Amino acid sequence: MNEQIVLLDFGSQYTQVIARRIRECRVYSTIVPYDTPAAKIDALSPSGLILSGGPSSVYDPNAPMPDAGIFELGIPILGICYGVQLLAHFLGGRVEPGQKREYGKGTLQVTDPSCLLFRKLPETLTVWNSHGDRLSRLPRGFVSVARTENSDYAAIEHHARRFLGLQFHPEVAHTPRGREVLANFVHEICGCGRTWTMRNYIDQAVEEVRRQVGDERVILGLSGGVDSSVAAALLHRAVGDRLTCIFVNNGLLRAREPEVVREVFGRHFQIRLRCVEASRQFLRRLRGVTEPERKRKIIGRTFIEVFSDATRRVGPARFLAQGTLYPDVIESIPIAGNPAALIKSHHNVGGLPKKMRFELVEPLKCLFKDEVRQLGKALGLPDAIVHRQPFPGPGLAVRILGEVTGPRLQILRQADAIVVEEIKRHGWYYRLWQSFAVLLPVRSVGVMGDERTYDYTIAIRAVESQDGMTADWVRLPHDLLERLSSRIINEVKGVNRCVFDITSKPPGTIEWE
Ligand code: XMP
């Protein structure tokens, strides 16, 4: 089993960020609900615990409290923000409601450089604060090891018990040396090595899949996206020909997508691949439909039908593999005021049929997205797949406003291919969350040569985002925009106007629908 750090989630929007930072130190980390019993945590044999921040005050009647037994496990504990107030609350210090919220940048002065948390760091650090309550008296045995303008207890330590607390957030980018603080906690204080790498993970995951699957067969719905592609490559390594991938062409894919999937998975990896050509079926059912939710429902239902049918043709299989990721399986914490609990992912790629009687194999379910990409690379998948931008399950149907028809799909596919090609050529593709074309089904007047035209408009969308929940439009250079516009209008028949979307999310969404 991996050495690991267990994170107790008190509802901070940054809990997953902390977990990722720890893993970037090559130490495995797991997030558990704040009230997980100490015995259950002990059973995981963690090398250390982190108590996350959270929106609550320890004074709230419903404040989330951990099992007091965690302080008796004999392992190091790091409390961050709300976590440090819990240390004080449980171990006999005092927390006072702050007069005003301390929010924003601060300067940390390390007063005890022998504290291992600040090993090899300067004595003055820029840190990011965001808290209401503050410590006013230290619990017994604790000393202050750093202060800020507003607090003498910005970092505290109980040396013998290896309990530490930070009032600031080391996990966010606004604390530039925060990663090193966390690295010191896991390596210097918890004594963890650097063993969590995707190369090691492959061996472990392959063994686990083999143990689960035995001699049985596995089916996987391959979309060509990062997650299902990496899952396919991993499973293929584990069970070889006992894996069959099913790729459904729903007619709503981007240019050359079916060919790329065939090339990479069929020819290169020699994976057993069934490509199902269902474009007509999808298009027939979408005929005359303009309402976005209805389009989505029709596409979802049709996919399930087509996929179920394809699985029957493949023959008996006991397992269905899915590229579920860690953020989908972390139990979200219903704490009042926790926005992270409310904005749970609103769509699940593919939405594979629950009623189909398969047992699930989910070899990526403890990985974050960036780890999945690293794993894909380690398994030999090309960058074009490992670093591709997200593409919605309902495909181009959500990027054609109004009715989806064959001719409109052809126009959008061509325009989109130009956007992708130029954005790549100008070195922007891998820096963006998404960049794509949208077809607006209204016609406007234009002139081309001596002729009057009456054609569609293409909107170009380019956004930056961490997770798709919020996004900012990207200031693409004017010469790139000009190139996009002139190529699209010249090369794509049926388009005479290009616009660039300058809406962020919120208030807009990324897709237009
Ligand atoms: P919105 O448009 O809601 O999109 O701002 C946020 C992110 O989710 C993607 N998206 C989807 N992904 N199935 C998916 O797998 C869907 O039905 C779906 N709808 C939107 C979108 O591309 C963006 O990255």
Side-chain angles (χ1 to χ4, degrees), residues 186-502:
V186 298
H187 299 307
E188 303 297 329
I189 296 168
C190 301
C192 297
R194 291 171 176 76
T195 51
W196 174 248
T197 63
M198 285 305 114
R199 289 208 175 278
N200 292 343
Y201 180 73
I202 293 177
D203 298 338
Q204 203 178 311
V206 160
E207 200 178 303
E208 208 166 297
V209 168
R210 284 186 185 149
R211 206 177 319 122
Q212 184 187 0
V213 169
D215 294 331
E216 304 283 338
R217 297 179 53 199
V218 187
I219 285 178
L220 180 142
L222 186 63
S223 71
V226 181
D227 306 341
S228 66
S229 297
V230 176
L234 183 62
L235 275 153
H236 183 246
R237 181 156 311 183
V239 303
D241 271 355
R242 277 179 292 118
L243 168 74
T244 305
C245 291
I246 297 175
F247 174 78
V248 175
N249 184 358
N250 58 9
L252 307 167
L253 303 172
R254 288 162 294 185
R256 279 196 30 83
E257 253 176 318
E259 289 85 349
V260 171
V261 165
R262 270 199 207 99
E263 246 163 62
V264 173
F265 295 95
R267 277 194 282 282
H268 177 70
F269 277 95
Q270 306 253 308
I271 289 180
R272 285 171 68 135
L273 178 66
R274 294 274 178 285
C275 294
V276 184
E277 178 43 62
S279 307
R280 283 214 205 157
Q281 198 169 339
F282 280 84
L283 277 193
R284 204 180 326 115
R285 293 194 186 172
L286 286 168
R287 200 173 292 155
V289 181
T290 54
E291 210 264 313
E293 274 309 304
R294 263 200 74 211
K295 282 190 206 167
R296 281 175 178 276
K297 286 222 170 72
I298 291 170
I299 295 166
R301 263 203 321 266
T302 310
F303 179 83
I304 290 174
E305 266 174 49
V306 172
F307 188 80
S308 314
D309 188 51
T311 59
R312 279 192 291 275
R313 280 165 206 246
V314 164
R318 181 162 151 201
F319 292 95
L320 180 71
Q322 285 189 338
T324 318
L325 304 194
Y326 193 42
D328 302 327
V329 299
I330 299 171
E331 288 176 58
S332 63
I333 314 294
I335 297 173
N338 171 16
L342 300 176
I343 39 179
K344 217 29 205 177
S345 63
H346 58 301
H347 15 240
N348 190 4
V349 194
L352 292 180
K354 286 202 178 59
K355 58 174 190 267
M356 292 169 54
R357 268 178 281 125
F358 286 113
E359 288 170 45
L360 288 185
V361 187
E362 297 175 302
L364 312 180
K365 75 164 182 245
C366 65
L367 303 184
F368 287 108
K369 191 83 180 189
D370 41 344
E371 294 174 318
V372 172
R373 294 191 209 278
Q374 289 167 28
L375 176 61
K377 270 202 89 75
L379 287 163
L381 285 171
D383 276 354
I385 285 192
V386 167
H387 289 289
R388 78 190 320 200
Q389 296 176 352
F391 184 62
L396 298 180
V398 296
R399 297 180 181 170
I400 293 176
L401 308 202
E403 189 185 357
V404 179
T405 63
R408 286 180 180 181
L409 278 164
Q410 198 178 341
I411 291 177
L412 181 58
R413 215 170 261 137
Q414 271 181 297
D416 189 68
I418 293 173
V419 173
V420 173
E421 191 185 318
E422 290 296 333
I423 295 251
K424 276 192 176 157
R425 180 177 304 162
H426 285 73
W428 281 87
Y429 184 86
Y430 295 113
R431 292 152 65 185
L432 302 180
W433 171 261
Q434 275 169 311
S435 43
F436 55 85
V438 178
L439 179 86
L440 309 190
V442 282
R443 290 171 196 265
S444 68
V445 172
V447 276
M448 245 182 178
D450 295 332
E451 261 176 69
R452 212 173 124 88
T453 56
Y454 190 55
D455 283 331
Y456 291 136
T457 297
I458 285 287
I460 297 164
R461 185 88 167 123
V463 296
E464 282 173 336
S465 170
Q466 290 300 315
D467 51 13
M469 297 297 184
T470 61
D472 198 8
W473 64 276
V474 176
R475 280 66 175 165
L476 291 181
H478 289 179
D479 53 352
L480 169 56
L481 289 173
E482 185 190 332
R483 173 105 184 129
L484 287 172
S485 157
S486 84
R487 274 199 65 191
I488 290 171
I489 293 168
N490 282 316
E491 294 174 33
V492 185
K493 205 160 173 299
V495 177
N496 66 352
R497 200 175 286 273
C498 250
V499 297
F500 183 49
D501 184 356
I502 53 169

